[in-house]
């Protein structure tokens, strides 16, 4: 069991080096209000004066104190291996001052003060960065404690207004660790029910399984009172117990009273005032209790700790692999292998070309896989790549075409005007075919805009895939290379865009170039032919009925009254027998159409609608095919060759493969953490199963 605490100390040293809170190690956390005697308790456990003293807040940074019991055999080994002076009985080491051994405890105190001032300032400021101190002595019990700043309410000096909140956050950060033991220190001359230390301990440990209470300053209680009920847990029960202590007074400290004498006086006081409780109170009993609690706590935490370390080591190994090896290191290794160390010859960087080709190939493969839908990391939150292009073709483009109506923007008057213009000066016996071609071409031309918009949407999606594939670790690692790849692919897409647009425009122009009235689907012609061969007698009867109803076109028509008519001419200037033609209208007059005119308009409308739907179906089928051939497939097939021809240039290797400082820093952090975890796993592995029981 005694071997467990040194193992814990080694683990703390390992993780303190990398400054990580990833692993929560078992430790004893000392909590109490300002001037409650926390530092005195620690000094009593060590048996030496080494902590800063003074009025007000003195402990302004967490102090991780590792006490190591040293046997004569251990001392002889350390003298040879760690540079410890032969005449030293007790000594200390700071983690921030590696290799330096402190044999003077006054010097240890000054180093704590200097290190505190360096981070927290000289005017009562606090900091959460811990100081790590290890003390080796044959007089101590092996322990690991954390001394925290005292809980205070009112800011002094340079302390901020929220000093209470800051200290509270620091305390909770340490005692919330489920692997910690809370040592709640309270002065005996205060009411235990008002103890801030016990209150915070209860917040972090509601069940009280890892809280031990310490009652200091038993000798300063009011005359006629004692702490028997408190020490027996009758006032506030504490599962792990309540231990009473007698601290040195301020006068004793000024007079440099030795701690061993203070411990003797404490034992005498307890025997005199609390004879029945003397064996379960005092500094020696506290040290043994803490040692026992910590060892049992470590025994419970060690299996879970071992699993946690192994899992994290695997995660950080994967993270480090994703960052790749530094280019400089690989280059130096290759140079040494070739024997070109310091020759001074300008040699091409051996692995750069290979690495560059690998990155280009990986990007091109990821880009093509995203289009084909065979990517390993399939997006589940939104459509991307080929799926989005499919949606554009069959949803967005199809709906856009369907919204273009066959007769949209075309009125009956427009059709009638086109028919009349197509016949020239001669009245038409049949519906002129020219008017049909003129009007249907006008409607077909309107299909060009949705096609060009479809090309634009597919181009945007191909551009978007670049960013999607650019989230690969290699792209983040080499930002210059990422920028150049984006430029090359963007240029390739931009180069294919006019070609694709031209092809879509040509598809519409092809439809406009030849109106195929013999198209197999153009069945409307047969129905119209039947309409046109209607018996002439029926047609004449309709004409006569119309003439009787509406009268002459000149007399009953909507044309304006002639300027020379008797209504607008002064009396006697013109005779009624004279009839001048009215002004020629610029537009066809609005009137009720004759049956023949109505029939002609209906025929043209039916022809336009039928032929337009045929053309729209062709465009709906041919535009996606053109986009796939001229844009998507062309980019997919030529992407890698374009990237290689544009980027694989020896003179640009160094620029393109210049690593991001952020990635380099993250690789360094991951490497250090991995080494710490591997070292921790090795340390835990050295603990034999027999040590656990």
């Amino acid at each position: 069991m005694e071997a467990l605490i040194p193992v814990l100390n080694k683990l703390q040293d390992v993780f303190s080096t990398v400054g990580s809170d990833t692993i929560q190690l078992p430790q004893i956390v000392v909590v109490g209000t300002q001037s409650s005697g926390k530092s005195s308790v620690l000094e009593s456990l060590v048996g030496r004066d080494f902590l800063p003293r003074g009025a007000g807040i003195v402990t302004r940074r967490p102090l991780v104190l590792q006490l190591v019991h040293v046997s004569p055999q251990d001392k002889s080994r350390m003298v040879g291996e760690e540079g410890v002076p032969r005449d030293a009985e007790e000594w200390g080491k700071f983690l921030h001052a590696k290799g330096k051994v402190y044999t003077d405890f006054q010097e240890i105190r000054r180093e704590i003060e200097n290190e505190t001032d360096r981070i927290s300032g000289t005017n009562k400021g606090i900091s959460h960065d811990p100081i790590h101190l290890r003390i080796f002595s044959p007089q101590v019990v092996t322990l690991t404690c954390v001394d925290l700043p005292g809980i205070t309410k009112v800011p002094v000096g340079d302390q901020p207004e929220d000093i209470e909140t800051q200290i509270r956050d620091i305390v909770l950060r340490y005692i919330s660790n489920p692997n910690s033991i809370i040592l709640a220190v309270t002065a005996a001359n205060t009411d235990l029910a008002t103890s801030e230390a016990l209150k915070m301990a209860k917040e972090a440990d509601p069940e009280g399984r890892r809280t031990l209470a310490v009652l200091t300053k038993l000798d300063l209680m009011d005359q006629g009172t004692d702490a028997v009920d408190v020490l027996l847990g009758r006032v506030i029960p504490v599962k792990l117990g309540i231990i009473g202590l007698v601290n040195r007074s301020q006068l004793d400290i000024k007079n440099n009273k030795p701690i061993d004498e203070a411990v003797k006086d404490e034992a005498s006081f307890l025997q005199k005032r609390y004879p029945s409780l003397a064996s379960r109170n005092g500094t020696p009993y506290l040290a043994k209790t803490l040692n026992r609690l910590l060892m049992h706590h470590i025994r419970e935490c060690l299996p879970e700790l071992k699993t946690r370390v192994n899992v994290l080591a695997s995660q950080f190994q994967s993270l480090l692999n994703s960052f790749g090896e530094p280019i400089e290191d690989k280059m130096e290794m290759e140079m040494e292998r070739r024997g070109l160390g310091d020759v001074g010859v300008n040699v091409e960087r051996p692995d750069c070309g290979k690495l560059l080709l690998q990155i280009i190939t990986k990007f091109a493969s990821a880009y093509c896989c995203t289009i084909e839908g065979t990517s390993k990391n399939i997006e589940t939150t939104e459509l991307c790549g080929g799926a989005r292009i499919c949606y554009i073709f069959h949803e967005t483009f199809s709906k856009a075409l369907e919204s273009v109506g066959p007769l949209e923007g075309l009125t009956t008057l427009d059709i009638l005007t086109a028919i009349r213009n197509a016949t020239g000066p001669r009245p038409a016996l049949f519906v002129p075919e020219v008017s049909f071609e003129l009007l249907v071409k006008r409607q077909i031309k309107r299909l060009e805009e949705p096609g060009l918009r479809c090309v634009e949407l597919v181009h945007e999606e191909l551009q978007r895939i670049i960013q999607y594939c650019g989230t690969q670790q290699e792209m983040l690692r080499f930002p210059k290379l990422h920028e150049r790849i984006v430029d090359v692919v963007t240029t390739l897409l931009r180069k294919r865009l006019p070609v694709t647009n031209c092809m879509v425009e040509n598809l519409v122009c092809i439809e406009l170039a030849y109106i195929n009235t013999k198209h197999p689907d153009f069945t409307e012609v047969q129905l119209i032919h039947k309409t046109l061969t209607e018996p002439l007698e029926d047609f004449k009867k309709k004409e006569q009925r119309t003439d009787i109803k509406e009268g002459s076109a000149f007399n009953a028509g909507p044309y304006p009254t002639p300027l020379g008519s008797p209504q607008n001419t002064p009396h006697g200037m013109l005779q009624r027998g004279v009839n001048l033609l009215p002004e020629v209208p610029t537009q066809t007059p609005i009137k009720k159409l004759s049956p023949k005119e109505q029939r002609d308009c209906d025929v043209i409308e039916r022809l336009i609608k039928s032929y337009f739907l045929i053309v729209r179906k062709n465009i709906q089928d041919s535009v996606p095919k053109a986009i796939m051939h001229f844009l998507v497939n062309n980019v997919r097939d030529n992407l890698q060759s374009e990237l290689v021809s544009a980027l694989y240039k020896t003179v640009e290797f160094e620029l393109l493969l210049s690593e991001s400082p952020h990635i380099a820093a993250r690789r360094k952090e991951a490497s250090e953490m991995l080494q710490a975890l591997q070292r921790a796993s090795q340390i835990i592995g050295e603990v034999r199963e027999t040590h656990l029981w």
Side-chain angles (χ1 to χ4, degrees):
M1 288 289 288
E2 289 291 339
L4 292 180
I5 295 180
V7 168
L8 178 65
N9 292 341
K10 290 180 183 179
L11 292 175
Q12 283 184 329
D13 286 348
V14 167
F15 289 112
S16 298
T17 304
V18 294
S20 173
D21 295 330
T22 309
I23 299 293
Q24 295 179 319
L25 298 173
Q27 56 193 4
I28 297 169
V29 181
V30 184
V31 184
T33 56
Q34 187 174 300
S35 301
S36 60
K38 303 187 309 302
S39 299
S40 296
V41 171
L42 291 178
E43 286 185 337
S44 299
L45 293 174
V46 176
R48 288 277 195 159
D49 289 327
F50 68 97
L51 294 176
R53 292 284 185 170
I57 185 168
V58 178
T59 304
R60 296 185 288 127
R61 286 180 62 184
L63 175 66
V64 179
L65 178 62
Q66 299 174 355
L67 305 181
V68 182
H69 178 79
V70 180
S71 64
Q73 295 81 6
D74 294 334
K75 180 184 175 182
S76 60
R77 179 180 55 82
M78 292 180 179
V79 168
E81 295 179 1
E82 301 182 13
V84 177
R86 291 187 176 277
D87 57 345
E89 292 292 329
E90 299 172 315
W91 64 92
K93 288 183 178 181
F94 286 96
L95 191 63
H96 63 268
K98 294 182 178 179
K100 186 173 181 180
V101 178
Y102 295 82
T103 55
D104 184 359
F105 280 79
Q106 296 302 319
E107 191 177 355
I108 291 177
R109 175 184 294 173
R110 287 192 294 271
E111 182 62 26
I112 294 175
E113 292 174 347
N114 294 337
E115 185 64 14
T116 300
D117 292 343
R118 185 178 67 84
I119 300 295
S120 306
T122 57
N123 197 9
K124 308 299 183 183
I126 66 169
S127 171
H128 61 81
D129 292 334
I131 300 173
H132 290 264
L133 171 63
R134 178 179 289 185
I135 292 179
F136 301 84
S137 171
Q139 311 298 328
V140 300
V141 176
T142 302
L143 280 178
T144 300
C145 303
V146 181
D147 187 19
L148 297 176
I151 303 169
T152 185
K153 299 288 186 182
V154 182
V156 295
D158 287 341
Q159 292 177 350
E161 292 297 324
D162 63 339
I163 183 66
E164 180 183 0
T165 304
Q166 288 191 21
I167 294 178
R168 180 183 176 84
D169 291 342
I170 293 175
V171 172
L172 286 175
R173 177 182 173 187
Y174 280 89
I175 66 175
S176 296
N177 174 7
N179 295 335
S180 65
I181 295 175
I182 304 172
L183 192 65
V185 179
T186 305
N189 55 356
T190 61
D191 190 348
L192 193 64
T194 63
S195 171
E196 285 287 335
L198 285 176
K199 178 185 175 184
M200 295 188 71
K202 192 169 184 180
E203 289 181 24
D205 180 30
E207 298 180 1
R209 293 181 177 179
R210 51 190 183 87
T211 301
L212 175 67
V214 173
L215 204 62
T216 60
K217 305 180 182 180
L218 288 175
D219 56 330
L220 297 183
M221 296 184 68
D222 293 338
Q223 294 292 329
T225 61
D226 61 37
V228 173
D229 289 342
V230 174
L231 294 174
L232 292 176
R234 295 170 183 168
V235 177
I236 295 179
V238 179
K239 282 189 178 181
L240 297 184
I242 302 175
I243 299 176
L245 302 179
V246 176
N247 300 100
R248 290 183 301 167
S249 65
Q250 197 63 34
L251 180 62
D252 293 337
I253 295 171
K254 288 182 179 179
N255 294 335
N256 294 323
K257 181 178 181 180
I259 290 180
D260 54 351
E261 290 185 14
V263 171
K264 291 178 182 178
D265 293 343
E266 176 190 53
S268 301
F269 175 83
L270 291 173
Q271 285 290 347
K272 181 179 178 182
R273 294 291 303 272
Y274 304 98
S276 61
L277 302 177
S279 60
R280 287 177 288 168
N281 291 277
T283 301
Y285 182 76
L286 175 63
K288 293 177 182 178
T289 302
L290 290 176
N291 180 267
R292 175 177 54 83
L293 289 175
L294 186 59
M295 284 191 297
H296 283 282
H297 203 59
I298 294 171
R299 184 190 67 185
E300 294 173 1
C301 298
L302 204 57
E304 182 183 351
L305 190 64
K306 184 175 183 179
T307 303
R308 174 74 174 154
V309 167
N310 292 336
V311 170
L312 283 175
S314 176
Q315 292 176 355
F316 275 92
Q317 182 66 63
S318 300
L319 180 63
L320 190 61
N321 292 340
S322 69
F323 292 141
E325 296 182 18
I327 299 297
E328 293 76 9
D329 294 352
K330 294 178 71 176
M331 178 184 173
E332 291 173 3
M333 290 171 60
E334 187 67 16
M335 292 293 189
E336 291 177 2
R337 187 180 67 80
R338 295 186 182 186
L340 301 173
D342 299 319
V343 179
V345 183
N346 186 14
V347 182
E348 177 187 340
R349 304 179 75 173
D351 281 334
C352 290
K354 179 181 176 183
L355 178 62
L356 183 59
L357 284 177
Q358 288 175 347
I359 295 174
I360 290 174
T361 303
K362 188 173 181 180
F363 175 85
S365 175
Y367 192 93
C368 296
C369 287
T370 305
I371 293 175
E372 297 294 335
T374 57
S375 177
K376 293 181 180 179
N377 301 319
I378 296 179
E379 187 67 44
T380 58
T381 57
E382 61 175 350
L383 292 177
C384 65
R388 197 177 188 89
I389 293 173
C390 180
Y391 184 87
I392 292 170
F393 286 158
H394 301 293
E395 296 291 336
T396 309
F397 179 54
S398 296
K399 289 180 180 178
L401 287 180
E402 289 171 5
S403 67
V404 182
L407 301 174
E408 186 178 339
L410 202 61
T411 64
T412 304
L413 184 60
D414 294 335
I415 297 172
L416 185 60
T417 304
I419 293 173
R420 290 183 174 179
N421 285 334
T423 59
R426 297 173 302 279
L429 293 175
F430 304 102
V431 179
E433 191 173 334
V434 176
S435 61
F436 161 68
E437 289 196 9
L438 175 70
L439 292 172
V440 81
K441 284 181 179 180
R442 171 179 162 184
Q443 296 304 99
I444 292 173
K445 185 68 177 174
R446 298 173 61 238
L447 297 175
E448 183 178 303
E449 184 180 348
L452 295 177
R453 177 58 181 158
C454 182
V455 175
E456 183 182 347
L457 290 174
V458 173
H459 176 267
E460 289 176 0
E461 179 57 26
L462 292 175
Q463 189 76 32
R464 186 168 165 266
I465 295 175
I466 303 174
Q467 303 302 326
Y468 180 75
C469 297
T471 57
Q472 298 175 8
Q473 191 63 47
E474 291 82 1
M475 299 294 102
L476 301 176
R477 182 182 175 191
F478 305 113
K480 296 289 185 184
L481 178 59
H482 183 210
E483 291 176 8
R484 290 295 305 279
I485 287 177
V486 171
D487 290 343
V488 172
V489 182
T490 303
T491 303
L492 178 60
L493 290 172
R494 196 181 298 122
K495 187 168 64 176
R496 298 305 304 171
L497 186 60
V499 180
T500 311
N501 282 334
C502 182
M503 185 59 198
V504 171
E505 291 170 356
N506 286 338
L507 288 173
V508 178
C509 291
I510 289 169
E511 297 291 346
L512 294 173
Y514 181 65
I515 304 301
N516 183 15
T517 55
K518 292 292 185 181
H519 194 284
D521 294 336
F522 196 38
T523 56
E524 197 70 19
V525 176
Q526 299 174 1
L527 300 175
I528 291 171
H529 177 70
K530 183 179 178 181
T531 305
L532 292 177
T533 56
E534 182 181 350
L536 187 59
E537 290 77 10
D538 296 344
F539 175 71
K540 285 182 177 180
K541 289 177 183 178
K542 290 181 181 177
E543 284 288 315
Q544 290 172 359
R545 285 196 297 270
T546 305
D547 290 341
I548 292 170
K549 224 180 248 188
E550 300 190 14
S552 170
F554 285 111
N555 295 331
Y559 294 101
T561 304
L563 291 174
S565 63
Q567 292 89 333
N568 293 331
T569 307
H571 181 69
M573 289 185 66
L574 291 173
Q575 300 298 323
R576 287 182 177 273
V578 179
N579 188 11
L580 299 178
L581 287 172
E583 283 188 22
V584 179
T586 57
Q587 292 184 344
T588 303
I590 302 174
K591 65 172 184 176
K592 187 173 181 181
L593 302 180
S594 66
K596 182 178 183 304
E597 290 173 334
Q598 184 65 53
R599 185 185 65 180
D600 291 348
C601 289
D602 291 343
V603 167
I604 293 295
E605 285 182 3
R606 290 169 67 182
L607 288 173
I608 291 174
K609 185 174 182 181
S610 178
Y611 195 80
F612 179 86
L613 293 177
I614 293 171
V615 174
R616 191 173 72 179
K617 184 178 179 182
N618 293 341
I619 294 294
Q620 186 174 351
D621 179 61
S622 57
V623 166
K625 291 178 179 178
I627 294 173
M628 285 300 296
H629 176 71
F630 287 93
L631 182 60
V632 179
N633 291 347
N634 191 285
V635 170
R636 183 194 63 190
D637 296 339
N638 298 317
L639 178 61
Q640 184 163 353
S641 59
E642 287 282 337
L643 288 171
V644 171
S645 61
L647 301 179
Y648 194 80
K649 298 175 182 177
T650 308
V651 293
E652 295 188 1
F653 282 174
E654 186 171 355
L655 175 64
L656 294 177
L657 295 178
S658 56
E659 197 170 43
S660 166
H662 173 67
I663 294 295
R666 289 190 61 190
R667 182 197 293 108
K668 183 180 178 182
E669 292 174 4
S671 177
E672 291 176 351
M673 190 62 194
L674 179 61
Q675 291 176 5
L677 289 167
Q678 289 173 342
R679 175 63 181 151
S681 180
Q682 181 182 354
I683 292 170
I684 296 174
E686 292 174 356
V687 180
R688 297 180 181 179
E689 293 296 328
T690 53
H691 291 158
L692 299 177
W693 305 100

